[in-house]
Amino acid sequence: IYFLSHIKNNYWLAGLSGYLSVLTRSAGLALIPTTLFIKTKTKYSQIIGITAIIYGFLTYLWLNWILFRNPFQFSIFQKQYWNREIASPVIGINNLIQNHDQKVGIDKIITVDFELMAIILIAISIVWFIYKKKYQFSVYSFAMFILVTSYFQLISIPRYALTIFPIMIMLAQITKKLWFIGIFLILGSLIIQYQLLDRFTHNIWAY
């Protein structure tokens, strides 16, 4: 909605969607650098979009202050319940690779291999859209890459990758020419979904 609103020059809808995106999830901050690369008829659209996103994040901090008297209480909860402590992406990815030898079987595939595959997929989308000269998509993928990997322990990267819509555009462009890849992706997704659903029903970690 945010991207389409800018393209259609619907500035206020772009601002509202940007505000709501960062209010519901901090990953919405990735829209700030992205906005600078969206082609619009006037810079007024970009100013409204960036201002709304910043205002949304400040609103989120204000809600944390009202409820917990700490604007960054959300980061404490992340560390307490999800062991998500902010760190360099290099550290997070390196720790993920080191965990590869500590896991076995399906746990290794889900908690390590899938995470690494998602990271690689995001990186490919960055390069893909640089090649296609769609820099707004490349910047968005890169910003999301930084946001989701800047933790000491990386979890749920495949789930976050689903919110990086340029990846879906890239896969659609690829499967349009190579249809058999699309069939492979569909069948693979169904198998993975079954495995994750089975783990979830047995109260085992499944993203």
Side-chain angles (χ1 to χ4, degrees):
I1 294 175
Y2 184 79
F3 278 78
L4 289 176
S5 298
H6 276 293
I7 294 173
K8 298 294 185 179
N9 295 312
N10 192 334
Y11 312 142
W12 299 110
L13 181 58
L16 177 61
S17 59
Y19 173 82
L20 294 176
S21 67
V22 76
L23 188 62
T24 54
R25 187 173 289 276
S26 58
L29 292 172
L31 292 173
I32 292 179
T34 305
T35 304
L36 300 175
F37 290 85
I38 299 177
K39 295 180 179 180
T40 58
K41 292 182 178 180
T42 173
K43 294 294 182 180
Y44 187 63
S45 175
Q46 295 176 330
I47 294 174
I48 291 178
I50 293 175
T51 301
I53 294 169
I54 294 175
Y55 183 66
F57 185 63
L58 292 176
T59 302
Y60 183 74
L61 297 181
W62 175 74
L63 289 174
N64 275 263
W65 171 260
I66 292 297
L67 295 173
F68 308 107
R69 287 295 182 266
N70 183 354
F72 298 100
Q73 182 65 35
F74 67 94
S75 62
I76 297 177
F77 285 149
Q78 283 188 328
K79 182 178 180 180
Q80 180 178 353
Y81 296 108
W82 300 100
N83 196 28
R84 290 174 66 82
E85 185 176 359
I86 294 177
S88 165
V90 175
I91 295 176
I93 295 173
N94 182 61
N95 289 338
L96 183 63
I97 294 173
Q98 290 183 352
N99 287 336
H100 190 272
D101 295 332
Q102 301 175 8
K103 302 285 185 176
V104 295
I106 190 67
D107 282 335
K108 176 189 287 188
I109 295 174
I110 291 179
T111 62
V112 180
D113 293 342
F114 282 174
E115 302 284 348
L116 290 172
M117 288 171 60
I119 291 172
I120 293 172
L121 185 60
I122 298 172
I124 291 174
S125 74
I126 296 172
V127 177
W128 177 272
F129 286 108
I130 290 177
Y131 173 74
K132 293 290 185 177
K133 296 183 179 180
K134 298 291 184 179
Y135 301 116
Q136 66 273 31
F137 294 152
S138 183
V139 170
Y140 180 73
S141 294
F142 178 74
M144 285 294 295
F145 176 85
I146 296 299
L147 285 173
V148 302
T149 59
S150 295
Y151 294 97
F152 187 80
Q153 179 180 344
L154 302 185
I155 57 174
S156 301
I157 303 299
R159 178 161 58 87
Y160 289 117
L162 292 175
T163 67
I164 305 177
F165 71 91
I167 291 178
M168 307 306 166
I169 297 176
M170 177 187 70
L171 293 176
Q173 292 175 342
I174 294 173
T175 55
K176 185 178 180 179
K177 296 182 179 179
L178 303 173
W179 58 269
F180 57 90
I181 294 181
I183 295 176
F184 172 78
L185 290 174
I186 292 173
L187 294 177
S189 297
L190 291 174
I191 294 173
I192 293 171
Q193 185 178 25
Y194 170 78
Q195 290 290 338
L196 295 178
L197 183 61
D198 181 66
R199 289 172 65 87
F200 181 78
T201 56
H202 288 84
N203 198 29
I204 303 174
W205 175 250
Y207 298 128

